[in-house]
C-alpha cells in the first residue's frame, strides 16, 4: 500500500489525491499542522504573509509567555525535532515570544520536509473551489480548492485538496468603540493609535518616553503594556500612564490564588498595586464614541454612566483584543456562530459566557467542520472572538484534522485534551472584546502519558 492509497478514503474522489494540503499561516499551529502531515506522509504547502515564519509572534517577541517550555511544544513537532538532534530548552523556564521563535519554531521550520514547502511573503487573498463560486453544489466536494495569493511578483492561483486556515487574529484588532465599529474620527488619529503589545522598553521606547499613554483594554495584553509603561515612567521623567476600561472592573486580569502558572497569577496583583499607588491612573466605565486630534495627541470622547466625558492623551494603545478576518473566505461555505464567530459546533464549547480556559471540552475535526468539506479554521482564528484559546487546543485540533485528511477516522475522532479550570478567564463575554492572547494552563496534577500526549503543550502569549 502506498502513502497515496493510505491517504485516500474510499468516500473521497481520487481527484483530490494530487493537490497538496494548503496551510495558511506559519505560526505555532500552522507549523504543527505541517509536522502532523509530515508524519502522515501527506504533501502540503504553507502560505505565510510575513517575510519570515511566525511573523505575528515576532512583533510581540519581547513579551514573556506565562507557560514554561515544557508546555508550549507540539507533540508531533517535538518528535520530528528530536529525531534531528534538537534538544528542548530547560523545561521549567519561561520563554519570550522571540525565544519561542528562535529556539523552537525556526528549527522546526528549517527541517527539510517542512522548509521546502514554506512560501513566505505570500498573502492568501481568497479561497474558493476551482471553477465554482459558493452557490454551485454539483461535484463541489470532489473539486479541488483554489487559492488566490499575492506575492511580490503579482497575483497567482494554486489548488489544494484541503485547506487549514491557521492565519490567526493578531492583525485584526477589535475596534476601540463599544459598538464594534471604529469610533468616529479614527482615521484622523490612526497614526497615534498603537497596536497591542508594543515594545515599550525596547525598540518602541523613544515613542513612549516622556509622553502620556492611555492603554485601552481589560486583558493580560493590556496588563503587560501597563507594567512596561510603569517601569519606563520610573526612568523617563514626564512619562504618564492611564488605563481606560469599559467595565467597572478588569475581571480578566484578576487571577486566582490556585493558578498553576505563577507568572500569570501575579500580573493582576502587580497592576492593582500600581493603580493603588497612583503610578497608573485608572479610568473605568468609559465607552469611547469618537476620537479627535489635538496638537500633540488624541482626545477621546465617550460616555460614562450615560453622561458625556472626555479624555486627552498623547498616544493610545489598543489592547481590546482581536477578531477573525473572514473576508477572504467569502466564497467558502462557512457555518459560523453569530455571536462568537467560531465554527457553529465549536461555539457552545468555548462560549465565554459559559466557559473558562480550563472547561473547554475536547474537540477536533468534527466540531471544526463546515458545509465546505475539507476546509477548517484552526488555532486562534477558530475561536473567533472568544478569549479562551490555548496552544494545546490548537495542537490537538490539527492532529485530529490531519488524521481525518489521511483517512484515519479512528485517530481523528479519538480527541483528548487535559485542561484544568484555572478561574483566570472571564465567565461572561467581556465588553472590551476577546483578547485571544491571554490564556494558558498547566496540566492539573499527574496525568498518564496517554493523556498528556495530545495536550501537553499549552499557552499563548504572556
Amino acid at each position: 500500500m502506498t502513502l497515496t492509497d493510505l491517504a485516500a478514503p474510499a468516500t473521497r474522489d481520487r481527484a483530490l489525491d494530487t493537490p497538496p494540503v494548503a496551510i495558511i499561516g506559519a505560526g505555532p499551529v500552522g507549523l504543527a499542522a505541517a509536522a502532523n502531515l509530515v508524519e502522515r506522509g501527506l504533501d502540503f504547502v504553507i502560505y505565510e504573509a510575513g517575510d519570515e515564519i511566525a511573523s505575528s509572534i515576532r512583533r510581540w517577541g519581547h513579551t514573556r509567555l506565562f507557560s514554561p517550555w515544557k508546555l508550549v511544544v507540539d507533540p508531533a513537532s517535538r518528535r520530528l525535532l528530536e529525531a534531528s538532534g534538537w534538544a528542548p530548552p530547560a523545561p521549567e523556564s519561561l520563554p519570550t515570544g522571540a525565544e519561542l521563535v528562535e529556539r523552537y519554531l525556526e528549527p522546526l521550520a528549517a527541517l527539510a520536509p517542512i522548509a521546502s514547502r514554506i512560501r513566505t511573503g505570500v498573502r492568501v487573498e481568497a479561497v474558493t473551489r476551482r471553477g465554482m463560486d459558493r452557490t454551485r453544489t454539483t461535484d463541489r466536494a470532489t473539486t479541488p480548492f483554489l487559492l488566490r495569493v499575492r506575492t511580490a511578483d503579482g497575483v497567482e492561483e494554486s489548488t489544494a485538496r484541503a485547506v487549514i486556515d491557521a492565519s490567526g487574529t493578531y492583525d485584526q484588532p477589535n475596534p476601540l468603540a463599544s459598538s464594534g465599529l471604529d469610533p468616529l474620527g479614527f482615521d484622523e488619529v490612526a497614526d497615534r493609535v498603537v497596536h497591542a503589545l508594543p515594545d515599550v522598553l525596547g525598540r518602541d521606547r523613544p515613542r513612549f518616553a516622556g509622553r502620556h499613554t492611555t492603554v485601552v483594554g481589560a486583558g493580560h495584553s493590556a496588563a503587560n503594556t501597563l507594567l512596561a509603561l510603569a517601569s519606563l515612567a520610573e526612568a523617563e521623567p514626564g512619562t504618564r500612564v492611564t488605563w481606560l476600561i469599559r467595565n467597572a472592573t478588569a475581571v480578566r486580569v484578576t487571577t486566582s490564588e490556585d493558578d498553576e502558572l505563577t507568572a500569570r497569577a501575579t500580573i493582576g496583583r502587580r497592576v492593582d498595586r500600581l493603580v493603588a499607588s497612583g503610578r497608573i491612573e485608572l479610568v473605568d466605565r468609559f465607552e469611547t464614541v469618537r476620537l479627535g486630534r489635538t496638537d500633540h495627541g488624541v482626545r477621546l470622547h465617550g460616555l460614562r454612566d450615560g453622561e458625556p466625558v472626555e479624555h486627552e492623551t498623547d498616544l493610545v494603545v489598543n489592547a481590546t483584543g482581536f477578531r477573525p478576518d473572514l473576508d477572504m473566505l467569502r466564497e467558502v461555505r462557512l457555518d459560523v456562530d453569530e455571536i462568537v464567530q467560531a465554527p457553529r459546533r465549536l461555539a457552545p464549547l468555548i462560549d465565554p459566557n459559559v466557559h473558562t480556559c480550563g472547561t473547554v471540552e475536547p474537540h477536533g475535526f468534527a466540531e471544526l467542520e463546515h458545509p465546505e468539506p475539507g476546509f477548517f479554521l484552526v488555532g486562534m482564528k477558530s475561536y473567533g472572538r472568544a478569549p479562551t484559546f490555548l496552544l494545546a487546543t490548537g495542537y490537538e485540533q490539527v492532529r485530529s484534522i490531519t488524521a481525518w485528511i489521511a483517512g484515519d477516522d479512528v485517530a481523528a475522532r479519538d480527541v483528548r485534551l487535559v485542561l484544568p479550570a484555572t478561574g483566570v478567564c472571564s465567565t461572561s463575554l467581556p465588553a472590551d472584546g476577546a483578547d485571544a492572547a491571554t490564556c494558558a494552563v498547566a496540566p492539573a496534577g499527574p496525568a498518564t502519558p496517554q493523556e498528556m500526549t495530545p495536550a501537553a503543550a499549552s499557552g499563548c502569549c504572556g
Side-chain angles (χ1 to χ4, degrees):
M1 179 180 291
T2 67
L3 286 173
T4 300
D5 292 330
L6 178 64
T11 56
R12 248 167 277 167
D13 192 285
R14 299 188 69 86
L16 295 179
D17 290 350
T18 302
V21 176
I23 302 171
I24 306 175
V29 178
L31 290 172
N36 278 276
L37 288 167
V38 168
E39 290 194 328
R40 291 280 180 179
L42 298 178
D43 194 17
F44 59 90
V45 177
I46 304 176
Y47 299 95
E48 168 57 47
D51 293 331
E52 300 176 280
I53 62 107
S55 58
S56 291
I57 294 180
R58 293 175 192 273
R59 291 164 63 185
W60 53 263
H62 54 282
T63 307
R64 191 166 299 280
L65 278 69
F66 296 130
S67 299
W69 273 109
K70 67 181 181 180
L71 302 177
V72 295
V73 177
D74 161 60
S77 302
R78 176 187 289 271
R79 291 191 291 270
L80 293 181
L81 283 166
E82 290 181 340
S84 72
W86 177 79
E92 299 297 338
S93 62
L94 300 175
T96 63
E99 290 168 344
L100 183 72
V101 172
E102 294 164 6
R103 302 183 68 182
Y104 165 46
L105 297 178
E106 284 184 344
L108 177 61
L111 295 177
I114 297 178
S116 61
R117 292 166 170 82
I118 297 176
R119 298 188 61 191
T120 55
V122 179
R123 180 175 295 279
V124 177
E125 294 192 337
V127 181
T128 185
R129 293 280 185 177
R130 187 176 62 189
M132 298 182 175
D133 65 12
R134 66 182 297 153
T135 66
R136 180 173 169 182
T137 300
T138 303
D139 297 328
R140 189 172 192 88
T142 58
T143 299
F145 286 94
L146 182 74
L147 285 79
R148 177 168 292 181
V149 303
R150 183 172 297 277
T151 72
D153 298 323
V155 178
E156 60 187 66
E157 294 179 341
S158 58
T159 58
R161 64 183 294 179
V163 177
I164 299 174
D165 184 352
S167 57
T169 59
Y170 187 70
D171 286 330
Q172 288 287 119
N174 283 322
L176 290 167
S178 303
S179 64
L181 306 175
D182 284 328
L184 297 171
F186 176 81
D187 290 343
E188 300 173 14
V189 300
D191 60 322
R192 298 176 182 181
V193 178
V194 184
H195 198 70
L197 292 171
D199 190 0
V200 171
L201 299 175
R203 66 176 180 270
D204 298 324
R205 185 185 185 107
R207 187 172 192 184
F208 293 97
R211 306 184 75 184
H212 177 198
T213 300
T214 296
V215 179
V216 181
H220 288 84
S221 295
N224 270 296
T225 301
L226 290 165
L227 293 174
L229 286 167
S231 179
L232 180 66
E234 290 184 351
E236 298 285 354
T239 303
R240 292 176 54 202
V241 189
T242 298
W243 184 16
L244 190 151
I245 62 176
R246 299 170 186 168
N247 295 328
T249 60
V251 293
R252 293 209 311 281
V253 178
T254 303
T255 55
S256 61
E257 295 297 327
D258 60 353
D259 192 335
E260 297 183 52
L261 297 177
T262 305
R264 187 182 60 195
T266 63
I267 192 170
R269 294 192 292 272
R270 292 167 62 194
V271 173
D272 285 343
R273 287 196 296 268
L274 290 169
V275 171
S277 68
R279 292 169 59 192
I280 293 176
E281 175 194 10
L282 175 63
V283 178
D284 60 15
R285 294 171 291 159
F286 191 107
E287 296 187 16
T288 303
V289 175
R290 181 164 53 89
L291 302 178
R293 196 175 186 89
T294 64
D295 289 342
H296 302 289
V298 180
R299 180 179 293 113
L300 290 85
H301 301 264
L303 296 173
R304 193 167 194 254
D305 295 334
E307 297 295 324
V309 288
E310 293 183 0
H311 173 75
E312 290 195 13
T313 187
D314 295 326
L315 294 168
V316 174
V317 175
N318 182 0
T320 59
F322 311 96
R323 60 178 57 181
D325 177 9
L326 302 177
D327 186 58
M328 70 178 183
L329 306 176
R330 57 189 174 275
E331 295 303 327
V332 175
R333 294 181 176 181
L334 297 180
D335 187 18
V336 175
D337 179 75
E338 295 87 352
I339 298 172
V340 183
Q341 286 193 302
R344 192 173 303 279
R345 276 174 282 184
L346 174 63
L349 305 182
I350 64 172
D351 186 345
N353 290 288
V354 179
H355 294 285
T356 67
C357 290
T359 63
V360 173
E361 297 179 22
H363 62 274
F365 87 95
E367 291 78 17
L368 297 167
E369 281 187 309
H370 292 275
E372 197 73 73
F375 177 85
F376 299 95
L377 297 172
V378 300
M380 292 171 67
K381 192 166 184 176
S382 73
Y383 270 49
R385 302 193 189 191
T388 49
F389 171 72
L390 308 169
L391 279 182
T393 306
Y395 295 156
E396 181 64 354
Q397 286 178 344
V398 296
R399 185 211 60 78
S400 172
I401 288 168
T402 55
W404 179 86
I405 294 172
D408 188 348
D409 191 67
V410 173
R413 295 185 183 279
D414 186 19
V415 181
R416 298 190 184 98
L417 204 59
V418 181
L419 299 175
T422 63
V424 173
C425 295
S426 172
T427 55
S428 62
L429 191 63
D432 284 293
D435 187 346
T438 62
C439 301
V441 298
T448 67
Q450 185 180 37
E451 289 173 326
M452 290 295 296
T453 297
S458 64
C460 197
C461 75

